Amino acid sequence: MRINRPLMLGALVSLLLPVTAAYAAGSARFSTGDPNVPTLTFSWQDVAHSRLDTPNQPAHVLAIDGKAWGVASVAGRPVSMDLESLAKLLGKDSSLTQLGPNTVVPAQLTAMERTGQTETVAGIQGEVYRVSWQDSNGKAHVDEAVFTGDALVQEMQTALIGGMTRAIASGTGVSGHEQAQRELERRGLAVLRFGDDFRLESIERSDQPDERFALPGKPVDLQRMMRGMMGG
């Protein structure tokens, strides 16, 4: 499942799982199949507040109450921008519009078969499945995936899909993953590994301070900024 992603935002892996009453904050690190973004760090307080960081890049993505924001360092100062406005500015064919659910959950899961094997990923034992799926263009694929029912992985993925991924999808206009989400939710599965393009490297419960999920001042007006750069 190979997908190009911009350096600032990277890739996501996610499932739709029920929100639990007692929600624990935490952080997780993933490896991806994208050589430009080999690892990503995702942290969360709850479904409404999450953050995605790309190592060695002065930028991150925030999901706050259903809306996604990009935060980058400009002239040594952190600047935030509305992801929806940025997507419109770049156009529908930009790599930014490839983010969201379609980068993570296939457009459609057509078959999921247990292999009878187990695999330990990030210290968590899971079951190995053979997964047949279709991408958004209708092309068929087959991958090996490892799933678990681990409660912390489920909580992390609830924050990832319910907050971060859904917010990015709303901002970029990407959708089409609902069938796959429903199937995974029905089975109660959480992803530890999907093919060679996603692997959970570590995950932990940890306190996440409010300031990690706050915008650094008033967001910039991208349209006004562009007009200023063009002298308009």
Side-chain angles (χ1 to χ4, degrees), residues 99-166:
L99 294 172
N102 222 27
T103 68
V104 190
V105 181
Q108 184 172 6
L109 294 172
T110 54
M112 296 177 65
E113 304 173 7
R114 286 187 172 95
T115 66
Q117 299 178 320
T118 62
E119 182 176 323
T120 300
V121 181
I124 301 168
Q125 182 171 292
E127 286 190 84
V128 180
Y129 282 69
R130 180 180 173 86
V131 181
S132 300
W133 57 279
Q134 290 183 355
D135 60 28
S136 57
N137 295 318
K139 184 177 180 180
H141 305 264
V142 177
D143 268 304
E144 185 181 84
V146 182
F147 298 103
T148 182
D150 181 85
L152 182 58
V153 180
Q154 290 184 358
E155 290 183 14
M156 178 272 293
Q157 291 182 151
T158 300
L160 195 55
I161 186 66
M164 179 62 69
T165 304
R166 186 172 296 172

Side-chain angles (χ1 to χ4, degrees), residues 209-222:
D210 292 344
E211 55 265 27
R212 280 185 52 77
F213 306 93
L215 295 177
K218 185 178 180 180
V220 298
D221 184 327
L222 290 176

Side-chain angles (χ1 to χ4, degrees), residues 60-77:
H60 60 271
V61 181
L62 292 174
I64 304 172
D65 297 327
K67 190 173 183 62
W69 304 88
V71 181
S73 178
V74 178
R77 298 179 60 184

Side-chain angles (χ1 to χ4, degrees), residues 2-6 10 34 36 95 98-99 103:
R2 193 73 57 185
I3 301 170
N4 293 323
R5 305 167 177 89
D34 189 335
N36 292 320
S95 57
Q98 297 179 32
L99 294 172
T103 68

Side-chain angles (χ1 to χ4, degrees), residues 134-201:
Q134 290 183 355
D135 60 28
S136 57
N137 295 318
K139 184 177 180 180
H141 305 264
V142 177
D143 268 304
E144 185 181 84
V146 182
F147 298 103
T148 182
D150 181 85
L152 182 58
V153 180
Q154 290 184 358
E155 290 183 14
M156 178 272 293
Q157 291 182 151
T158 300
L160 195 55
I161 186 66
M164 179 62 69
T165 304
R166 186 172 296 172
I168 291 176
S170 177
T172 60
V174 177
S175 61
H177 62 294
E178 290 81 5
Q179 183 274 345
Q181 290 182 342
R182 288 193 299 268
E183 180 63 16
L184 292 168
E185 181 184 20
R186 183 182 71 81
R187 293 171 178 261
L189 297 176
V191 167
L192 290 173
R193 179 175 68 81
F194 198 101
D196 296 324
D197 295 292
F198 168 78
R199 184 183 182 90
L200 182 65
E201 297 293 343

